[in-house]
Amino acid sequence: MSDSFPFSNFEQQHQWYQDIDNANRNNIFCHCRACGYEWMDSKKEATCVKCGNKDVESISAWQFPDD
């Protein structure tokens, strides 16, 4: 196994992606660059819920500590 590939089989890789999807559920911080509105969502490719703009910055909030 290569050092650059951390999974020993397809099932482990699939489970890792599933775990990331579960962590992202309702846990993506979104910020509209047009109107400044901020909200939590489940998808990174969000459209602003206030003004409809597609220029939205999104960050997986679970990546940051709570303190």
Side-chain angles (χ1 to χ4, degrees):
M1 180 168 69
S2 168
D3 288 338
S4 63
F5 192 73
F7 307 106
S8 61
N9 59 45
F10 175 77
E11 289 79 21
Q12 285 181 339
Q13 182 180 9
H14 178 73
Q15 183 60 50
W16 183 78
Y17 281 115
Q18 186 64 46
D19 291 346
I20 295 295
D21 286 342
N22 288 339
N24 283 340
R25 191 167 292 117
N26 297 317
N27 213 6
I28 304 288
F29 173 77
C30 299
H31 172 252
C32 179
R33 291 184 175 114
C35 71
Y37 187 69
E38 298 176 342
W39 71 100
M40 298 302 286
D41 209 315
S42 294
K43 53 193 175 298
K44 284 188 167 278
E45 295 80 27
T47 300
C48 181
V49 296
K50 186 173 181 184
C51 74
N53 193 297
K54 293 185 185 271
D55 189 10
V56 173
E57 177 183 18
S58 59
I59 302 168
S60 297
W62 57 264
Q63 295 180 21
F64 303 101
D66 291 334
D67 53 87

